[in-house]
Amino acid sequence: RPYASFWGMMEIDGLLRGVGVEENRVFVSDLETGEYVGATFDQLSTDVVEFTTAVVDGTPIALTATATGAVQAWDLDTAGAYGTAFTEQYQTVEELRVVDLGDTTGVLVRGERALSLWDLSTGERIGESFGQLTGEVAWTNAAVADIGGHPVAVAASDDGHVAVWSLKG
């Protein structure tokens, strides 16, 4: 899609598809024709500022965050909402990562100054924000990983520091 603000590829129903955001709406497209596969998914009227895809319990999903901090997961098979939406009110969402917490699926939210973890099924924050930065330093990247069966968040700051946090007590 030539005007998509976010775009990537993932397997949906056994086919490689284009997935992205165009005019603040999530879409799935045919890679050969570029045409939408099904309808676009409704999105809030504010700008989408972050987008990522993942597979959760066998379901391909897209996650969007708007400029107002509203985060919603979308089921790419059914073109409908997935899980429970939530709003990060304390910082601008800069990055989203999906993490398997064993008993639930979490969403790691990275802002410039802190990270937070949310339960995708309930839309509730898990614990407090963590990794708070002060001064001019900002988080520039975040990732999730599994270390020996234990989920962790890894973040890097613009001054070269890397930090790791356990995501499960």
Side-chain angles (χ1 to χ4, degrees), residues 40-128:
T40 58
F41 312 11
D42 289 337
Q43 180 55 273
L44 299 176
S45 59
T46 55
D47 288 341
V48 173
V49 297
E50 182 55 34
F51 172 83
T52 194
T53 59
V55 177
V56 177
D57 296 327
T59 302
I61 67 164
L63 272 169
T64 56
T66 67
T68 60
V71 177
Q72 175 67 61
W74 304 95
D75 182 328
L76 298 175
D77 281 331
T78 65
Y82 184 90
T84 303
F86 61 87
T87 301
E88 172 58 80
Q89 298 175 345
Y90 302 109
Q91 62 182 342
T92 301
V93 176
E94 305 235 335
E95 194 169 13
L96 299 168
R97 295 286 177 240
V98 175
V99 58
D100 181 355
L101 298 173
D103 55 344
T104 191
T105 299
V107 177
L108 178 70
V109 175
R110 178 188 61 82
E112 280 189 354
R113 301 276 181 227
L115 296 102
S116 58
L117 186 63
W118 299 79
D119 186 312
L120 182 60
S121 63
T122 66
E124 297 292 322
R125 183 187 300 263
I126 300 171
E128 298 296 319

